[in-house]
């Protein structure tokens, strides 16, 4: 968890503009989104690490609402 946080927090820094040709400057600008949908694959061995790899960056990015979805198991019914 700490490694994931450290990596994604490092991406929050402002990038220095690069002048690709005279008079043309390019840079990256991160913009937070309000909501995020996370798909977690199911199956016989669902991976908790997938939740961490998606949810931690969403939190760091400032998402106010995070929805997690996963397919139902073999004995579960789909809710409409």
């Amino acid at each position: 968890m700490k490694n994931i946080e450290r990596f994604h927090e490092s991406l929050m820094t402002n990038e220095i503009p690069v002048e690709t040709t005279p008079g043309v400057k390019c840079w990256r600008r991160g913009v937070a989104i309000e909501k995020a949908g996370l798909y977690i694959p199911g199956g016989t061995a669902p991976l908790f690490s997938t939740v961490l790899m998606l949810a931690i960056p969403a939190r760091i990015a400032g998402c106010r609402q995070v929805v997690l979805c996963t397919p139902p198991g073999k004995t579960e019914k789909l809710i409409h």
Side-chain angles (χ1 to χ4, degrees):
M1 183 173 157
K2 289 292 182 193
N3 289 339
I4 298 167
E5 287 174 336
R6 181 183 301 150
F7 174 76
H8 286 282
E9 285 171 351
S10 75
L11 300 176
M12 297 295 289
T13 60
N14 291 329
E15 296 293 320
I16 299 170
V18 175
E19 190 166 6
T20 56
T21 57
V24 177
K25 293 183 180 180
C26 300
W27 63 92
R28 182 181 62 181
R29 179 177 168 222
V31 179
I33 56 174
E34 192 171 315
K35 299 175 185 178
L38 313 180
Y39 173 75
I40 310 301
T44 57
L47 301 174
F48 182 71
S49 60
T50 304
V51 177
L52 294 175
M53 294 294 283
L54 297 176
I56 291 172
R59 178 180 48 85
I60 291 170
C63 292
R64 294 181 182 200
Q65 182 179 12
V66 176
V67 177
L68 189 140
C69 299
T70 190
K74 290 181 181 182
T75 60
E76 299 167 338
K77 293 183 180 181
L78 212 59
I79 299 172
H80 295 280

